[in-house]
Amino acid sequence: MKTEVSVAATFISGLLSRSSSSVSLTGDQLQLFTHTLTDTLIEHYRPHWFPHAPCRGSGYRCLRINRIMDPLIGKAASAVGLSQEQLFSSLPIELTLWVDPSEVSYRIGEDGSTCVLYKSSPLRPKSASSADSSAHRKEKPDNRIDQKG
């Protein structure tokens, strides 16, 4: 979870640092924002993080800006003294960021393409032991009749 959350927080911080708005954050403020957002997301996502079922809880882990600032981003911004208005002027008008086990992706705008920021191999479920799997396997009898003709 830490990698995915770090990628998401760094992405949002990068958008703030490259903003063409009048909001100018110092390196220390950006670092504090990233750290605060990372901690906030980890705390928020912990009960909804399912590495063996990455889609489970994905709506809960979606960060969204669409005329309303995502409260988790807003919380981190207030830690560095950014107002909602400053955030809205620094970030895309519409942004969706999905933070899921093994993948972080985003979309800017409602009709924009989805871009992957981070992707790793998903965890594989533990396989049953060979004894267990062989006990559940049933051989089908061969009911074919030899036809010689």
Side-chain angles (χ1 to χ4, degrees), residues 28-129:
D28 287 344
Q29 286 175 309
L30 276 172
Q31 188 176 6
L32 178 60
F33 174 84
T34 305
H35 179 74
T36 304
L37 184 57
T38 299
D39 289 349
T40 301
L41 294 178
I42 287 173
E43 179 183 321
H44 187 71
Y45 293 166
R46 187 169 281 125
H48 299 273
W49 194 262
F50 307 99
H52 295 294
C55 291
R56 183 177 171 200
S58 64
Y60 188 82
R61 295 185 309 271
C62 177
L63 297 172
R64 186 89 168 103
I65 300 170
N66 186 10
R67 294 179 200 75
I68 299 171
M69 182 56 60
D70 188 284
L72 300 174
I73 296 172
K75 181 178 179 180
S78 68
V80 297
L82 280 179
S83 68
Q84 293 284 317
E85 293 77 25
Q86 290 172 311
L87 269 179
F88 278 117
S89 71
S90 301
L91 295 172
I93 295 170
E94 292 182 2
L95 172 69
T96 307
L97 182 65
W98 295 275
V99 185
D100 296 319
S102 304
E103 185 171 311
V104 179
S105 54
Y106 72 96
R107 181 184 67 211
I108 295 177
E110 286 298 315
D111 299 322
S113 299
T114 300
C115 301
V116 176
L117 290 170
Y118 170 82
K119 187 169 183 83
S120 69
S121 299
L123 293 176
R124 296 176 190 206
K126 294 179 182 176
S127 61
S129 70

